Amino acid sequence: MTTEDNTTKVSDGDVLCKTDSSIPSRNGEKRGLCGRFLKMWKKFGDNTSMHGLGRAINSSRIWKKIVWTILVLIAACVASRNLYMTFVDYFSYPVSTTVTLETKPYLNFPAVTLCNLNPYRFSYLKEEIKEEIVKDMMDGKSVAEQKEHFTILFNKLYNVFDLPKNITHSLKDMLVDCQYDMGPCSDEDFMVVPNIKHGPCFTFNSESSGQMVSFRAGNKNGLIMELDVQQDEYLPFTPAAGLKLLIHPPDVVPFAHEDGIIVRPGVATSVGLRKVEVERQIQPWGKCFRASETNYDDINMFRSELFNGHSYGYSQMACEKTCYQNELQSSCQCCDISYPCFSSENNPLYECNMTQKDVLECHKQVRTNYLSGTLGCSEVCWPPCHEIIYQTSYSVAAWPSEKYVDNFNKKAAKVRKERNITGVVTTDQLRMNYVRLEVHYETMTEKSIVAYPAYNWNKLLSDLGGQLGLWMGFSLMTAIEFLELGWDFVGKLCLSPCSSSRNSDATKV
């Protein structure tokens, strides 16, 4: 007796799976499942929207199947490589920048901070310090040695938080004439910014005084000042004579001795401004600090009113100074007297006493590390996400002119008389001591520089769809088709044991 094989067939006479009656039923179930899946796969090839796959599955000739299969695999490899490069580009978080110029009917005027390059007036120092200064000069000590010796003596003989009147240059003594937008101004329009090491600075248009605006450009429509730098009061180790000038937003604490430009006597200096607004991106597209979202007391000690009774906003320099002060307090158990000192009842801190050798050495080491960048302050102090910058350009002219000397002398003599200063100002003294300064907008145009993500989620989806569509004709609907195929196969796989069990029970009955 001959045993014939049972054969499962599909269209075109292709033999997919064989089920021999002599083989155990479990293997027969597997072969039947294989046949059902192949039927599903061929049906999927007839109906899928993916290009080339249907031909690779259902072509009538074997060589066509091979060719189309190779083409589909090549397209899949190329598409996979391009998709990988697309994701690499996206996760590099590139940034694009736009620059726009807009003419405004008016612009907010910036804060203008002035500092005399000389910290203390020589004639008002105690005799002991004067004698030591002269002695150091006679002994041929270097400028650095003279300054260091002076600092030690000064901290020893004076209470730096309660200095005698007139020991520093006051704006009332220096200011001869002041005009803003063609109207008069005075020393009362300036706020004092304390700085123990460099002498006080003076800020016009501080945030507490109310925001001033400028409606016109040009050197006659800004702030115009004439000042006496009082060079006859300079210390012997002050290397340059003049003023330090810093232009900044009113809510930013000024560090004029580090950031400013020098204005020298004997000339009229005209400083032209251009306002620039910068918008930076937060991580991962950039590194910037958004003050509105963070409690930043620990990285901006100038936010409190301990500095000069005024609260300042965040700036990168303020953060770096806070980092420096924190390290000084941690390492040396004392404070730099130029900045706020945060102490408590449990941990009282005082100004660094430079007369103590160990404190002096510790202070030097921390400052050296700060200046060399090894404190790590630049790593935690990022620029603000929104920042206003004033680009400056300046020009100078000889001042006063020969014809203007008499007029200026009359004005200066009146001011000197009010301050009980006698004597006539000669032309040489004018050239050595007096400064004319003009601060104004060059143009009423505001520049905006905005950084934004160059590669967002929408562009990523667009590029993914473009690559898959170009090489494989693959879309979101195609992906759903594959999910449907998988769902159907899993359904068949799960239902097959149940159907086999029912068939077995029926046979027994």
Side-chain angles (χ1 to χ4, degrees):
M1 183 176 180
T2 305
T3 303
E4 296 182 356
D5 293 341
N6 294 326
T7 306
T8 301
K9 296 183 179 181
V10 293
S11 59
D12 299 330
D14 294 338
V15 178
L16 300 176
C17 299
K18 291 183 178 181
T19 306
D20 196 318
S21 60
S22 62
I23 300 175
S25 61
R26 186 176 297 275
N27 293 335
E29 291 173 7
K30 293 181 178 178
R31 290 192 173 92
L33 183 63
C34 176
R36 285 194 295 271
F37 175 71
L38 289 174
K39 277 187 177 181
M40 293 169 57
W41 182 243
K42 290 178 73 66
K43 184 178 179 181
F44 179 78
D46 288 334
N47 296 285
T48 183
S49 60
M50 180 176 170
H51 299 172
L53 184 61
R55 293 179 179 273
I57 295 173
N58 294 326
S59 290
S60 57
R61 301 294 182 88
I62 188 67
W63 68 269
K64 287 186 177 182
K65 286 186 177 182
I66 294 173
V67 170
W68 277 106
T69 300
I70 292 173
L71 290 176
V72 170
L73 291 175
I74 291 175
C77 291
V78 174
S80 297
R81 177 189 177 278
N82 291 347
L83 291 179
Y84 170 76
M85 297 304 298
T86 299
F87 278 110
V88 169
D89 289 343
Y90 177 78
F91 287 108
S92 66
Y93 301 108
V95 175
S96 295
T97 303
T98 59
V99 179
T100 58
L101 296 174
E102 183 179 359
T103 301
K104 299 279 190 176
Y106 66 89
L107 291 172
N108 291 334
F109 199 73
V112 180
T113 297
L114 295 170
C115 313
N116 200 311
L117 293 178
N118 184 64
Y120 305 109
R121 302 172 71 181
F122 183 82
S123 64
Y124 287 86
L125 294 174
K126 293 183 178 180
E127 291 299 324
E128 182 179 346
I129 295 183
K130 292 181 184 178
E131 292 173 1
E132 289 296 324
I133 290 175
V134 174
K135 184 175 181 298
D136 287 343
M137 293 178 61
M138 298 296 294
D139 292 342
K141 288 186 178 181
S142 66
V143 172
E145 290 173 332
Q146 291 180 45
K147 291 178 69 174
E148 183 177 342
H149 189 200
F150 170 80
T151 301
I152 294 173
L153 286 174
F154 191 87
N155 291 334
K156 181 180 179 181
L157 297 175
Y158 286 101
N159 178 1
V160 294
F161 296 105
D162 187 21
L163 293 174
K165 187 179 179 181
N166 292 333
I167 195 172
T168 58
H169 299 273
S170 68
L171 186 64
K172 186 175 182 180
D173 291 338
M174 291 193 298
L175 191 62
V176 175
D177 190 26
C178 180
Q179 296 181 42
Y180 175 73
D181 199 19
M182 308 299 291
C185 53
S186 68
D187 60 287
E188 295 180 355
D189 296 308
F190 291 75
M191 182 181 70
V192 179
V193 181
N195 191 310
I196 304 300
K197 290 187 295 186
H198 302 290
C201 297
F202 311 95
T203 299
F204 177 81
N205 190 30
S206 63
E207 191 174 34
S208 60
S209 64
Q211 182 63 63
M212 296 184 177
V213 296
S214 184
F215 294 93
R216 295 176 299 278
N219 62 339
K220 302 300 181 184
N221 300 303
L223 178 64
I224 302 175
M225 294 177 289
E226 294 174 346
L227 304 106
D228 179 8
V229 301
Q230 300 175 331
Q231 193 173 167
D232 55 327
E233 292 283 4
Y234 272 39
L235 299 174
F237 45 79
T238 300
L243 302 171
K244 206 66 177 295
L245 170 70
L246 178 63
I247 311 297
H248 58 95
D251 64 335
V252 173
V253 60
F255 298 98
H257 288 282
E258 299 184 32
D259 293 340
I261 61 174
I262 293 178
V263 180
R264 69 183 182 90
V267 297
T269 302
S270 178
V271 181
L273 308 177
R274 290 179 180 268
K275 185 180 180 181
V276 180
E277 286 202 37
V278 180
E279 287 284 349
R280 301 182 178 92
Q281 282 293 318
I282 59 174
Q283 288 184 310
W285 295 276
K287 287 185 176 182
C288 70
F289 181 80
R290 184 166 289 168
S292 60
E293 298 180 356
T294 311
N295 182 9
Y296 58 97
D297 289 335
D298 57 338
I299 57 174
N300 180 21
M301 60 186 170
F302 302 96
R303 191 184 187 194
S304 72
E305 296 183 355
L306 296 177
F307 184 50
N308 62 341
H310 181 67
S311 176
Y312 291 97
Y314 176 87
S315 68
Q316 190 172 15
M317 181 65 75
C319 176
E320 292 181 358
K321 294 298 184 183
T322 304
C323 174
Y324 160 73
Q325 183 78 305
N326 289 339
E327 181 64 25
L328 193 64
Q329 294 181 176
S330 175
S331 300
C332 307
Q333 300 301 310
C334 65
C335 305
D336 189 319
I337 57 178
S338 297
Y339 311 119
C341 182
F342 300 104
S343 60
S344 63
E345 294 181 0
N346 297 329
N347 184 26
L349 295 171
Y350 306 97
E351 68 274 9
C352 294
N353 187 354
M354 299 303 182
T355 59
Q356 298 179 6
K357 186 176 181 181
D358 57 338
V359 174
L360 180 62
E361 292 300 323
C362 181
H363 185 278
K364 280 185 178 181
Q365 185 60 49
V366 172
R367 181 161 182 79
T368 300
N369 293 340
Y370 168 72
L371 295 175
S372 63
T374 56
L375 281 186
C377 295
S378 58
E379 298 175 5
V380 298
C381 294
W382 299 343
C385 293
H386 177 263
E387 185 176 19
I388 297 177
I389 300 172
Y390 294 96
Q391 296 178 338
T392 60
S393 61
Y394 64 94
S395 57
V396 297
W399 181 86
S401 66
E402 294 296 331
K403 298 293 184 180
Y404 183 71
V405 169
D406 291 339
N407 286 325
F408 181 77
N409 265 330
K410 293 177 182 178
K411 188 188 328 183
K414 181 180 178 181
V415 174
R416 289 165 67 88
K417 183 178 180 180
E418 292 175 355
R419 298 168 189 169
N420 296 320
I421 302 174
T422 59
V424 179
V425 181
T426 65
T427 303
D428 290 339
Q429 288 176 328
L430 283 178
R431 307 278 188 192
M432 290 178 60
N433 293 284
Y434 287 87
V435 172
R436 180 180 173 87
L437 178 62
E438 303 167 355
V439 181
H440 59 89
Y441 277 111
E442 287 184 348
T443 174
M444 301 303 290
T445 302
E446 181 179 275
K447 179 189 289 187
S448 296
I449 302 176
V450 179
Y452 61 92
Y455 213 162
N456 56 26
W457 179 247
N458 291 332
K459 192 172 187 303
L460 175 64
L461 292 179
S462 176
D463 287 351
L464 292 178
Q467 292 295 334
L468 290 171
L470 174 65
W471 294 101
M472 303 176 67
F474 199 97
S475 67
L476 181 61
M477 295 297 104
T478 310
I480 295 176
E481 291 172 6
F482 273 95
L483 291 175
E484 182 185 22
L485 176 64
W487 176 264
D488 290 343
F489 177 68
V490 171
K492 294 287 185 182
L493 186 64
C494 294
L495 292 175
S496 179
C498 298
S499 62
S500 298
S501 176
R502 289 195 296 268
N503 291 338
S504 176
D505 293 341
T507 302
K508 289 180 182 179
V509 173

